Structure formats: structure tokens, C-alpha cells
Amino acid sequence: MMIRALTSSAISGVSRTILQFLTILYLTTFLNSADYGLYAFTLPFTILTTILFDAGFGPLVVRPKTIEPSMISSLHRLAIIVGLCSCMVLFAGSFAAERFVADPRFPGALRLMAVVPFLGLTGAVPRAVLERHLDYGMIAKIEIGALSVASAVSIGAALLGAGIWSLFALSIIQALLRCALFNAIAKVSFRGRNIHLAQIYADGKWITLQNLQVYCNRNLDNILVGAYLGSSVLGAYALAYQIILVPLQAAAWPFGAVLLSILRRLHRPEEQINALNGTMLLTLWVIVPTVSLAAAIVPEVTALFLSRSWRSLPFLVQALSVSCIAQVLGSFCGTILISQNQLRLNFYIGLVNTIILSAIFLISTIFFDIEVMVSIYAVYSIVFGIALLWLGYQKLGERSLKFATALAPPMVVGAAIALSALVLNAALADASATSRLVAKFAAFLSIASVGFLFQWTDLRALFASFKGEASVSYR
């Protein structure tokens, strides 16, 4: 059942990530960068409102070994009340935004999105009930179904001339369908014993603090770029970040969850190091070629499908691709620390990272421009990612750097793809964007195939070990 749950969760995550990305990418062909910037500037405020009002209702249902049905009902009722409060706060805040935000569309967008935190909190407990019963198959069906319907409606709205509001329709319709379906299937009762809100927030305060930390890492840059550099710059930056985020959501984060479950079952350091090497290798083979291809072809894709307002997109994607690969290198350090119950160290590392990133974003947006910000961000990501990679292996008892040899092939493939893109840009400078796009795809397939075949023995042994057919060492 555990394997089936992990598989369903992974398939759902990958499918939703790809579908949502393709939908947003298609909708941007109807918009300019300033329109997308308005959407990207509005989202952080709805997410922040949800985090501040959410006391961890979902985890409070999932984590306990036993929980009374009356307690679940009480949490559900309380979540709905808190959700209504979050909706009213965000709606009221939209009137204050009229005085501080230059874009006259922002207050209306914020009022429209005020319903999203309410819908999210109303569906939190029913979803947690399904999660508690490991019914990830049903969760996956609901998530993918809601996104599919919302994507179809938003694309239809864009074709009919809805413009920027088609993007907001995507978020609102998806949240509405998720909420309705989770409540209809879980059928959580509203009858339960009374519980104090203070008690709930006392139990969930660490969840809220951790969520706030993650929020700052993922949204503070959007807020600062939108506030100091404008919605047009934010639109290009947010789309570039969305492009780079897809492989992380599709591979690194699901693989990290699988690695955590594996490490909890292994006790010998050699086995844990081997599991980390295998997971790192597989993750890098998925992400590095994909991100390198995106960075290589984005100039041609921008020229062919997007308006001139997106002209800064290629550089932003190329700079952020370096940050993405660096994040992969350090992404599993947190998994290792959690598996060893070093939660405080993991929190402090995240806190330091949040403070440094906040300083980078704040100073860069106030005194410099977006190109300087992403360049500094890329350099910092490399340093921090390598440091976390080293710390993760140190915690498992690996004192040498032998693991670098095993992880080198996908990195070499990524560098070769980037180099081939530079060569083709020079050789085909006078050719059409379509010709360069085809040439870069051909180079990518050739380089990735050669690299994959070079390490096929290790990869084949890795797949066999996942099936329990063999053990494999990458040391």
C-alpha cells in the first residue's frame, strides 16, 4: 500500500505540474509581461493569507496515530470559520492596496482572489481524511480532474478575449472544484465537540512558522520585484521561474519524499550513502538535461510565440537554470537531516538561507536591476547548494569526495548541451529561429543519448535495485 500511495502521489504531482505549466504557458501567448506580472504579484498575497490563517489543520488530522471522528469534525468546522475570516481580511486589504499599488487592476484582482484561501481551508480537513487513509489514488483523481476542468475553462475564456482574467479563472475554478470534491467524497460531519482556537494554533505554530519560511523563500522575490521594478519585469521573471520550477516539482521533490522513506528503513551508513547516490543520480539525469534544454531553446521559443514585451525572458531562464541545478545538489540535505531527527538544525539552515535570500532580493531590486539580481542569486545558489551537498554526505559518514565521480556524467551532459547551444547560435546566426530550434533539439537528443548510454550500466543497476532484484554501489 505504501508503494502504491507513493506512486499515486508522484504521478499526481508530475501530471499536475506539467498540465498547469502548459496551460499557463499557452495563456501567456495571449498576454504581455505586465499582465502576467499582475497575476504573479497577486498570488503571494493569497498564499500568505492562507498560511497565516491555517493552523496546520491538515497535519493535525494526519499525524496522530489515533483521532476521534468528533475531533475531525471540530477541526473541519473551525477551518471553515477561519477560512471565512481570511476571505474578509484579504477583501478588506484590497481597499488599502488602492493607496499603495500603482496598477489600478490590482485591488480588483485581490478581491477576486479573496475566495481562494477560504476554499483552500474549507477543503483542507476532508483532503487530510483521505490522506490519513492513504487514499492517494482518489486525491490524484480529484487534483488532476479539477485542474483539467479549470484549464479548459480558462483557455476557453482566453480564446473569447478574457485576457488576464483567464489566469485568475484558472486558480479560482481549480480551488472551487477541489474544495467541492474533497468535501463530497470525504463526507466530514460538522458535528463535534468545541475546541479553542488558541489550542489549535498552539499545536500548529511550528507548522505555520515552517510554512512562513518556505513562503519567504518562494514569494518574497516576486513581491519585491513587483514593488520596485514593476509588473512588466515581474511578469518575465515569474514566467522564467515557473519554467525552471517544473522539473524541480516533477522530480526533485517527489524523489526527496521517496528517499526519506528509504532512509528511515536503512540503518547501515553504507546503505544510506548508496541510497542517496542512487536518488541523486536519477534526479540529476531527469533535471539537468531538461533544464539545459530549456535554457538553450528559450530564445527561439520567445521569438516564435511571445510578444516583444518578453524579450528579457531568455537571459532570466538561463541564469535561473544554474540556480535550479545548484538547488538540486543541496535539495536532499534536508531529507537526510529529517531522517536523522535533526529538525532544529534543518530549521536553522533554512532560516539562514531565508535571511540571505531576502537580503539579496531586497538590495538587488532597490539598487540594481533584475539581471543583477538573478546573477547574484545564481552564484549564491551554487555556493549554498555545494555546501548542503557536502553537509548531507558528512551526516551519513561519507568523508571522501568519491560521490562526485558518480554524479559527474549528467553534469557533463548539461555543460555539453549549453556549449552546443552557444556554437549553434554563432553558426546559425543568420538562420531563422525555427532552424535554430530544430538544430538545438537535434543536438540535445544526440548529447543526452550518448551520456545516457555511457552510464547505462549504473542506471540499469539502479532500476533493478528499486525492484529489489539487486544491490548496487555508486561509491
Side-chain angles (χ1 to χ4, degrees):
M1 178 171 282
M2 181 64 71
I3 297 299
R4 185 168 58 186
L6 287 172
T7 302
S8 298
S9 180
I11 292 175
S12 173
V14 171
S15 301
R16 285 187 294 111
T17 297
I18 295 175
L19 177 57
Q20 183 160 339
F21 170 71
L22 292 176
T23 301
I24 291 177
L25 193 62
Y26 180 73
L27 292 176
T28 56
T29 61
F30 296 89
L31 310 172
N32 56 42
S33 58
D35 287 336
Y36 190 77
L38 172 64
Y39 175 74
F41 191 64
T42 306
L43 280 183
F45 292 96
T46 62
I47 296 171
L48 178 61
T49 303
T50 303
I51 291 174
L52 291 176
F53 281 85
D54 185 1
F57 292 107
L60 288 174
V61 173
V62 175
R63 287 189 308 173
K65 292 184 178 180
T66 59
I67 184 170
E68 298 177 1
S70 61
M71 182 63 174
I72 296 177
S73 299
S74 300
L75 288 171
H76 185 39
R77 188 175 61 224
L78 191 58
I80 294 174
I81 295 173
V82 170
L84 284 172
C85 295
S86 71
C87 180
M88 290 187 290
V89 167
L90 196 58
F91 189 85
S94 66
F95 293 96
E98 294 176 351
R99 301 175 56 186
F100 300 103
V101 180
D103 194 329
R105 298 173 299 174
F106 177 70
L110 203 59
R111 290 171 198 139
L112 190 64
M113 292 290 284
V115 70
V116 173
F118 165 69
L119 294 172
L121 289 169
T122 302
V125 172
R127 187 191 189 282
V129 171
L130 296 178
E131 189 174 351
R132 182 175 179 85
H133 291 90
L134 296 180
D135 197 354
Y136 286 94
M138 180 57 68
I139 293 175
K141 293 176 183 177
I142 293 174
E143 299 276 10
I144 295 173
L147 179 57
S148 300
V149 174
S151 298
V153 173
S154 62
I155 290 174
L159 293 171
L160 292 174
I164 181 62
W165 305 111
S166 59
L167 269 175
F168 290 105
L170 176 66
S171 297
I172 294 171
I173 294 173
Q174 183 183 359
L176 177 62
L177 291 175
R178 289 177 72 254
C179 175
L181 291 172
F182 281 134
N183 277 276
I185 292 174
K187 297 179 180 177
V188 179
S189 172
F190 292 99
R191 297 179 179 179
R193 59 187 177 87
N194 293 325
I195 52 177
H196 294 291
L197 188 60
Q199 175 187 349
I200 298 300
Y201 276 92
D203 294 337
K205 62 182 178 182
W206 290 109
I207 298 173
T208 300
L209 287 174
Q210 187 175 17
N211 288 339
L212 281 173
Q213 184 187 100
V214 174
Y215 169 84
C216 290
N217 287 343
R218 296 182 184 173
N219 296 279
L220 185 60
D221 50 348
N222 281 357
I223 294 175
L224 292 174
V225 170
Y228 288 101
L229 301 180
S231 58
S232 182
V233 175
L234 174 59
Y237 172 75
L239 183 60
Y241 201 90
Q242 183 71 27
I243 292 171
I244 296 305
L245 198 62
V246 169
L248 282 174
Q249 292 176 321
W253 297 346
F255 290 167
V258 174
L259 177 62
L260 179 60
S261 65
I262 292 174
L263 291 177
R264 289 189 183 279
R265 295 180 346 194
L266 301 177
H267 302 287
R268 294 173 55 195
E270 294 81 4
E271 293 177 336
Q272 293 180 332
I273 293 173
N274 189 47
L276 176 60
N277 283 342
T279 307
M280 280 286 297
L281 180 63
L282 185 58
T283 305
L284 288 174
W285 268 113
V286 172
I287 290 181
V288 175
T290 304
V291 170
S292 301
L293 174 64
I297 67 173
V298 68
E300 288 70 34
V301 173
T302 303
L304 289 172
F305 302 107
L306 300 177
S307 66
R308 290 183 57 84
S309 65
W310 296 96
R311 58 185 177 275
S312 62
L313 184 64
F315 174 79
L316 297 177
V317 171
Q318 291 161 358
L320 290 174
S321 65
V322 176
S323 303
C324 173
I325 296 173
Q327 288 180 44
V328 173
L329 294 177
S331 61
F332 295 129
C333 179
T335 303
I336 295 169
L337 295 177
I338 292 173
S339 70
Q340 296 180 346
N341 292 321
Q342 299 189 35
L343 303 181
R344 182 175 297 181
L345 176 59
N346 186 49
F347 175 79
Y348 287 144
I349 290 174
L351 182 60
V352 170
N353 184 44
T354 299
I355 293 173
I356 295 176
L357 286 177
S358 300
I360 290 174
F361 296 145
L362 183 62
I363 294 173
S364 298
T365 52
I366 293 177
F367 298 103
F368 302 103
D369 55 20
I370 192 66
E371 286 80 9
V372 172
M373 189 192 85
V374 296
S375 299
I376 297 174
Y377 179 41
V379 173
Y380 168 72
S381 297
I382 293 172
V383 174
F384 193 69
I386 293 175
L388 289 182
L389 179 67
W390 175 82
L391 177 62
Y393 276 97
Q394 290 290 306
K395 288 295 181 179
L396 294 180
E398 175 62 275
R399 306 301 179 185
S400 68
L401 297 177
K402 293 181 180 179
F403 62 86
T405 304
L407 305 180
M411 304 296 289
V412 173
V413 167
I417 294 172
L419 181 61
S420 70
L422 294 175
V423 173
L424 289 172
N425 284 337
L428 301 176
D430 297 328
S432 65
T434 304
S435 300
R436 289 196 302 273
L437 183 63
V438 172
K440 289 181 179 180
F441 260 114
F444 162 76
L445 292 175
S446 301
I447 295 170
S449 299
V450 171
F452 191 80
L453 290 174
F454 176 79
Q455 207 170 25
W456 171 244
T457 301
D458 287 342
L459 293 171
R460 185 178 180 182
L462 174 62
F463 294 140
S465 68
F466 283 165
K467 296 179 181 180
E469 298 172 2
S471 61
V472 58
S473 176
Y474 301 94
R475 303 186 66 186

